[in-house]
Amino acid sequence: MSKIIAVVSGGIDSVTMAYQLRAQGHDLHLLGIDYGQRHRRELDCARLAARRLGAPYEEADLGGARGVLRGSSLTDSAVDVPDEGAAGGGQADSEVAVPGRPNIVPNRNALLLSAAFALAVVERAEAVAFGIMAEDIGPSDTSLEFLDAFLAMERIATRGHAHPDLDLIAPLARLLKREVIALGDQLSVPFEDTWTCFRGEEVHCGRCASCVERREAFVAAGVHDPTVYAASRAPSASA
């Protein structure tokens, strides 16, 4: 059993990761991070996951960073969240933010992981767990190369202060979204209490890239989707 700081956004992937780590017997400490995201409703789900798992929960308030994370629909109120099928609507968050790819926050994961490693030092944790999945892995801050390099940096930055074997793990990195949902179903993850939508309104919009991915993954996994969507399906690109 290891003491692990689990970065939990409140989405399907990170919540499933936390349930998996608890099922494996690890001592969990959940960390939610407010980085000024539009969809801060996800943090309510992170808190609820911690309560259900009986794990300590802390929340790092990095909301002031939204000013230097401008230009993304996730952090900048001046940028609209596109529907899937619109220009940029289907781009992964791992890609570089350029015009037409508004759902991207470059370097975000470096910010989140820095907060997690700071907590790992305080808690003398043996690992930080990050909930990326196979479809997240891209060329930048969701790449395995980035995670390896970030861990190497943190082992220098925390030398003499952190657990000597401090590690960074990504337990879901080899799983596709549908496989993550299948795993969550086996672990009895309450999917209705997870949040995915980029818009962060009362219910999932059903139109943004994240909602479409969520809906399609449930279908592919053959698992009942309990999510309430405002739209029954995303509009076509020509609509």
Side-chain angles (χ1 to χ4, degrees), residues 33-36 59-66 69 111-112 115:
I33 302 174
D34 180 350
Y35 59 92
E59 198 166 290
D61 182 3
L62 307 181
R66 71 171 61 88
L69 298 176
L111 186 68
L112 306 188

Side-chain angles (χ1 to χ4, degrees), residues 192 195 202-206 211 214-215 225-231:
E192 65 274 16
W195 188 266
E202 286 301 311
V203 298
H204 285 71
C205 73
C211 279
R214 179 184 178 112
R215 191 200 308 268
D225 183 0
T227 312
V228 176
Y229 298 101

Side-chain angles (χ1 to χ4, degrees), residues 50-116:
R51 287 200 298 272
R52 285 184 163 151
L53 290 168
Y57 175 82
E58 292 190 50
E59 198 166 290
D61 182 3
L62 307 181
R66 71 171 61 88
V68 295
L69 298 176
R70 60 187 176 272
S72 168
S73 65
L74 274 62
T75 53
D76 191 335
S77 61
V79 181
D80 291 335
V81 176
D83 289 342
E84 171 71 343
Q91 299 297 330
D93 286 339
S94 60
E95 298 181 25
V96 178
V98 296
R101 295 179 179 175
N103 291 339
I104 299 152
V105 185
N107 204 41
R108 174 184 59 179
N109 291 343
L111 186 68
L112 306 188
L113 287 171
S114 291

Side-chain angles (χ1 to χ4, degrees), residues 65-200:
R66 71 171 61 88
V68 295
L69 298 176
R70 60 187 176 272
S72 168
S73 65
L74 274 62
T75 53
D76 191 335
S77 61
V79 181
D80 291 335
V81 176
D83 289 342
E84 171 71 343
Q91 299 297 330
D93 286 339
S94 60
E95 298 181 25
V96 178
V98 296
R101 295 179 179 175
N103 291 339
I104 299 152
V105 185
N107 204 41
R108 174 184 59 179
N109 291 343
L111 186 68
L112 306 188
L113 287 171
S114 291
F117 273 92
L119 182 57
V121 170
V122 173
E123 293 293 326
R124 294 289 291 180
E126 295 164 70
V128 168
F130 203 49
I132 64 169
M133 58 166 188
E135 286 134 320
D136 293 326
I137 295 174
S140 54
D141 69 348
T142 53
S143 66
L144 298 182
E145 177 189 20
F146 165 77
L147 296 182
D148 288 343
F150 196 91
L151 174 60
M153 180 274 292
E154 282 291 353
R155 283 180 169 167
I156 295 171
T158 62
R159 185 181 295 155
H161 304 283
H163 190 282
D165 298 318
L166 183 59
D167 200 3
L168 172 57
I169 61 174
L172 308 182
R174 296 185 182 278
L175 300 183
L176 299 173
K177 187 77 169 186
R178 59 179 171 78
E179 295 172 319
V180 172
I181 288 176
L183 173 62
D185 188 48
Q186 293 171 14
L187 295 168
S188 299
V189 171
F191 293 122
E192 65 274 16
D193 292 323
T194 62
W195 188 266
T196 295
C197 183
F198 287 151
R199 288 191 167 96

